[in-house]
Amino acid sequence: MLSAFTARPIVELKQRDKSKIESILAYGDRLLVGLSHGSLRVYRINEPIDEAKAHNGPPAQDHTSSLSPKPPTVDLMREEEKFSKYKIDQLAVIKEANLLVSLSNGLVSTHDLQTYELQETLLKTKGATAFAVTSNIVKDPSTDVPSIVSRLAVAVKRRVILWSWHDSELEPDTAEHTLVTGVKTLTWASGTKLIAGLTSSYVLVDIETSVVTDIVGPGSIGGAPGQDGGRFGGVGVSTINYMGLGGAAPKPLATQLGQGQLLLAKDINTLFIDIEGQSLGRRQIPWAVAPEAIGYSYPYLLALQATRGTLEVRNPETLTLLQTISLPNASQLHISQPNISLAHAGKGFLVVSERCVWRMGALEYDSQIDALVDRGRLDEAISLLGMLEDALLKDKEGRLREIKMLKAQYLFDLRRYRESLDLFTEVSAPPERVIRLFPPIIAGDLSAQADVVHDDKHEGETQADDVTSEGGSHEDSTSKDGKLSHTSTDESKAGTHDGTHGSGEQARRVNDGAIPEGKDLKSATAELRPFLVQARTRMQKYLNPDSTLKDARGAQKFEVSNVQEAQELLLAHAPGSEEERRQQLVATAILVDTTLFRAYMFASPSLAGPLFRLDNFCDPDVVKDKLIETRRYNDLVDFYYGKKLHEQALELLQKFGKEAQAEQTASQLAGPQRTVSYLQGLSAENIDLILRFADWPLNVDPNLGMEVFLADSENAETLPRQRVLNFLSSKDKALAEKYLKHIIEELNDTTPAFHQKLVDIYIQGLKEGRFTGELNQEQWEEHTLSFLRSSHYYQPYKALQKLPADNPKFYEPRAIVLNKMGQHKQALEIYVFKLQDPEKAEDYCNQVQLAQTSSTMTTKQGHRSTATDLKDKSTSIYHSLLSLYLSPPPPHKPQWGPALQILAKHGARMPASSTLDLIPEILPIKDLESYFRGRIRSANTTINESRVTAALRSSLVFSEEAKLRLGDGVPGGNGGRNRHVLISDNRVCGVCYKRFGGSAIKVLPNNSVVHYGCSNQ
């Protein structure tokens, strides 16, 4: 069992001394002992109670006492023989008031704490059975100034009488509370609430509000409110003997616990309550015999079994019996109140018999934790760590985490995999420590089973003998319920102290069947996967997919909290170097992801694919071998893509895409479709691989292969277009033409070289009579003419050089190119004399006129050009066409019909004088009727528009003048001649934002006011 405390006698009455010890009080370095004949002995403890320190490290199992502190010595300072005429039943101290309180002969008296002289006997307390003292720091509600308030509660039959001291000054008034039955014990629950143990029940007394609350509990603790328990109300199990009713009624006991909890005990019944008197719903303590006294010495629960002469030490959370100390004839417990001296909290309490006082020395808490772990009491160690303050332990968080991992490993050995892995996840256990518990099919070379096999090959029977001897050395530390003392293999600080080797521990686990297999392995693997997923999530806080550190500050340095959490992912504490830490994090990430892959492949192979589509650190060699073995080639391609091993993936796709038997072995990879999809997912930086592996899909299915370059995706649009064009040109000009049309028409590429290249392809096709795709000659010519018209980025002179002048197929293309060059007359000659198409010639003139009008429009808005305006301007395009019709160069003849149509439709757009000069004298005037009608109509339209404009402007002037003279009639609007503005001292100029003062001002039409000098700004 645990050796948390060691009993050392510090006061022993001599054999000739006939007196008995009735009460004790310890405070500071003083120990007061009240004797049966009324004397008070004052001792000085040379070593303070709270300074007894145990040696560092856990003691040996059979020699605990040898490492305990030496007992302190006490010196008898004085003895007050006339302190009381009767035995001293109880002692307490009110340090703030410098008072010693005693109970003797049913009366409570106060004494000077220094001289021990009697100051006052409280006559109201005649017949008192017990008292309780408390001191608390209380803030004044009005001034918020803290002060020390001490209270003395005395039980006198059915009454509870209260005295109070405020900053060492006794308050003149006392308070009394009368209860239903006699009060046996008093215990302070807080500074204002008191637990009173009655004959048959407990009540909670609020001394401020005088409210008395009945506490309902099991058995002899108390019944329903108002019940006295019947004829057996005060009788417990310990009071009934074989002769019937006999003995005294059990004493109602109470003690404070940590965190606002209290324990009530009567006979063998117990009840845990809070300071409001409400039950906490916890189970009872399994006492076989009613205790004589109970107490709380941080962090343990104490129970003194007088009939057995033992002191029981229990965990107040689990109620487990941790230690039993033999103390013959012990009858009292004395635990100094924390509000008197915090030095006594958990570091030394006293046990008293009639002839002896024992001081209980506490072992170091770290050593107690080690002892519990050595004995396999992992739950108790975890509970104890949870109760202790951080300052009392060395690395509390680290110890708690380590012990929880030991418990998780122990649960794993018991095949309680879910509980084990949940606990591993809760403490963020290092992944390597968890993974090594699994066989090689999951853990690979890290498996403890693989280590054992390796050790057996090299050490043989010698290693087995060592394991046996080492296992035997731990028999004493194995608990009765079969718990292992501890199962850590490499990282536990709380392990055994005889040098157990990791390999021996692993061998013992393998021999015991701890490494799962069969159905157990499937269950364990299913629970392992959530742990690994959670570990992956933690890794993402520190690592980028490219293995660089994340969440850095300055030159990639972790925050302090991040460093501590990152170290939890490693096998051991990370070295100080940041690069070494990064390398260990990467190694751990590889281990986690590779193990997760193995777990998926073992239990649910279909889940491996989604893992590869995420950023991962899986070992490529392990993944490749496993997926090839299981013929999961599609998942292998996804893995290669995620790891950016594009060349291996494309080689695999090419291999299965070309093979005829791929339909059976890898149907998803058969044909070029999968290769094309993969290439579409590659960025421009992989252009070499794209061009290299796009060759065979283009050979098999050109339309499908072109999707690599024509897809509506960012990757396809950002590819180096010149390299792609060169590659496609070397394959087939049809592919190049298709790619050029895509980047020019859909992506709006304005690179002159691409436009010129497409023009050259169109012209070359017309020359050779070979047309790409499904286009015939007519469609090809339409595409050529359309592109020559729409594109503005090719070089016309280069295109004109490649267009034959004597080939009818190239007449219209030449005319379009001449238009681009501004050679309109030469272009019109082609339409008029070579193509002999007046409609196309007129359309050509319309387009040129429209382009010139939109680009050279500099006249004012609303102004209309007339024939007179055009006298000094350059010759119109229609004038050029008319001259070709009427005065053609030899050997062509004049064309009167088209000429008259041009005059009728567009005569108003041509200068009158030069136009009439072109008309031959032999042409009848009648034929020019339409021309003259058009000219007259145009002139009349101009005059009428001028008149309408003048009338509208006159109306506008009249309207504005009326507004200025008469106002617009709108409330708050322009007031006409009555218009005025108000200039106040706070009004500022709207331009310079300065006040007007006496400066000249100007009022604008919108009633805004500015300085006269600012009006021009």
Side-chain angles (χ1 to χ4, degrees), residues 325-393:
I325 304 173
S326 177
L327 298 170
N329 301 320
S331 59
Q332 296 182 41
L333 279 176
H334 176 76
I335 303 171
S336 297
Q337 300 178 13
N339 49 32
I340 295 178
S341 175
L342 293 176
H344 292 285
K347 284 300 183 182
F349 60 93
L350 303 177
V351 181
V352 185
S353 69
E354 292 181 349
R355 307 289 299 176
C356 181
V357 177
W358 289 276
R359 173 188 175 273
M360 309 303 295
L363 191 66
E364 280 288 334
Y365 291 125
D366 286 303
S367 300
Q368 295 182 34
I369 299 298
D370 291 340
L372 288 172
V373 173
D374 289 343
R375 290 163 174 77
R377 309 296 291 272
L378 301 179
D379 287 329
E380 298 300 328
I382 293 172
S383 176
L384 180 59
L385 281 169
M387 292 185 292
L388 292 173
E389 298 292 336
D390 296 352
L392 301 177
L393 295 166

Side-chain angles (χ1 to χ4, degrees), residues 3-10 64-65 68-72 309-311 313 323-328 330 349-352 356-363:
S3 297
F5 298 99
T6 303
R8 300 292 184 186
I10 57 174
T64 303
S65 60
S68 299
K70 295 181 180 180
T310 59
L311 175 67
V313 180
Q323 184 180 8
T324 301
I325 304 173
S326 177
L327 298 170
F349 60 93
L350 303 177
V351 181
V352 185
C356 181
V357 177
W358 289 276
R359 173 188 175 273
M360 309 303 295
L363 191 66

Side-chain angles (χ1 to χ4, degrees), residues 602-662:
F602 176 75
S604 303
S606 60
L607 296 178
L611 173 64
F612 300 147
R613 299 183 187 99
L614 303 174
D615 294 326
N616 63 82
F617 291 87
C618 293
D619 188 343
D621 295 333
V622 174
V623 173
K624 177 183 176 181
D625 294 342
K626 193 68 176 178
L627 292 180
I628 290 178
E629 177 185 348
T630 56
R631 295 187 176 184
R632 302 185 68 85
Y633 301 107
N634 196 48
D635 289 340
L636 180 58
V637 171
D638 291 337
F639 172 73
Y640 280 147
Y641 181 82
K643 302 297 287 184
K644 297 184 179 180
L645 302 174
H646 303 305
E647 185 172 3
Q648 292 89 322
L650 290 169
E651 288 175 351
L652 183 66
L653 290 172
Q654 183 175 358
K655 172 185 175 182
F656 288 102
K658 289 183 176 181
E659 289 182 356
Q661 61 271 24

Side-chain angles (χ1 to χ4, degrees), residues 167-212:
D167 283 338
S168 76
E169 295 293 332
L170 176 64
E171 294 184 358
D173 298 331
T174 60
E176 291 189 14
H177 302 276
T178 303
L179 306 180
V180 293
T181 59
V183 181
K184 301 297 183 182
T185 59
L186 292 174
T187 305
W188 286 100
S190 65
T192 59
K193 294 183 179 181
L194 188 67
I195 297 290
L198 308 181
T199 304
S200 59
S201 62
Y202 289 86
V203 294
L204 177 68
V205 181
D206 191 324
I207 63 174
E208 291 185 335
T209 62
S210 300
V211 175
V212 179

